[in-house]
Amino acid sequence: DYELCEEWGHLYPVPREDLINLHREHLLHLLEMGDMEKALQLLQRIGDPGICLAISEQSLDQHPSLAASHFLADYLTGHFYANLTTARRNEIQALYMGSKVLLTLPELSRVNYFHLSCRPLLMLEQLLMNMKVDWVAVAVQTLHQLLAGQEIGFTVEDIDNLLSKYAEKALNFPFALKEKRS
């Protein structure tokens, strides 16, 4: 049905907003079906970069699945980096990194941290508080790789400070050791 509507759009004038809505719904449908290749082809078929940007941003704002969010954040930063405001760019890059970290977690646990996908530092802190040390190690390694040469509102030093803070808390003992009496 989406493809038929797209063909009609080529034959008859369709208002810009309706065209954006049609392509957005088609894109979200393809992404939810897991067909990233067809989604990319759809975006490449759209001739107007302004419409393509609007469709991608609106689709991302719909908070789709993890894989769809990751795809859209990657596409937006790869194709429209210069067209985005600094705040929006940082938000999308943080979402990209957060979704990348989520993809490193065991599949059944991802749902517990999905709401933190646009805040990778907070996700890291939540993993530390939940004592998921093995997961934190993989997440930190992933973030270190992604942050190389990037400016998105937090740095490698922020991650190191967070780890230091929790390492210090892990060494605090809330009780005094009692001496043995002979």
Side-chain angles (χ1 to χ4, degrees):
D1 291 343
Y2 291 117
E3 290 168 3
L4 178 63
C5 289
E6 190 177 333
E7 287 178 33
W8 271 91
H10 292 298
L11 297 173
Y12 298 99
V14 176
R16 187 175 194 271
E17 282 305 311
D18 291 340
L19 197 59
I20 289 172
N21 289 338
L22 165 71
H23 287 305
R24 184 189 67 235
E25 293 303 319
H26 189 191
L27 179 63
L28 287 171
H29 171 74
L30 290 172
L31 291 173
E32 293 306 319
M33 298 299 292
D35 199 343
M36 306 303 176
E37 188 175 322
K38 280 191 177 178
L40 184 59
Q41 290 171 358
L42 170 67
L43 290 169
Q44 289 171 342
R45 275 197 313 266
I46 299 168
D48 183 349
I51 290 178
C52 193
L53 174 61
I55 292 165
S56 303
E57 278 196 288
Q58 287 179 19
S59 296
L60 187 63
D61 292 339
Q62 296 280 324
H63 305 291
S65 69
L66 174 61
S69 295
H70 187 71
F71 172 86
L72 289 166
D74 186 37
Y75 184 80
L76 281 165
T77 54
H79 291 82
F80 297 106
Y81 189 83
N83 301 60
L84 302 169
T85 64
T86 304
R88 182 70 169 161
R89 192 179 309 145
N90 288 348
E91 176 187 327
I92 291 171
Q93 285 182 315
L95 177 64
Y96 175 78
M97 290 184 186
S99 62
K100 189 79 165 178
V101 169
L102 272 175
L103 289 169
T104 66
L105 301 181
E107 193 169 340
L108 295 175
S109 301
R110 292 175 187 164
V111 68
N112 298 329
Y113 301 96
F114 182 73
H115 65 286
L116 299 172
S117 60
C118 60
R119 304 201 46 208
L121 272 181
L122 194 57
M123 185 189 317
L124 191 61
E125 188 168 7
Q126 187 70 48
L127 288 169
L128 284 167
M129 291 190 314
N130 290 341
M131 306 290 279
K132 305 293 185 187
V133 179
D134 294 340
W135 299 357
V136 169
V138 174
V140 167
Q141 183 180 16
T142 302
L143 286 172
H144 276 262
Q145 290 170 353
L146 293 172
L147 280 172
Q150 300 266 355
E151 288 185 30
I152 65 157
F154 68 94
T155 63
V156 172
E157 288 79 27
D158 294 326
I159 294 171
D160 293 344
N161 290 339
L162 181 68
L163 293 174
S164 296
K165 177 176 133 185
Y166 278 88
E168 183 180 312
K169 286 183 179 196
L171 295 176
N172 285 338
F173 295 103
F175 58 90
L177 296 174
K178 293 184 180 179
E179 291 182 22
K180 284 188 175 183
R181 292 186 183 184
S182 55

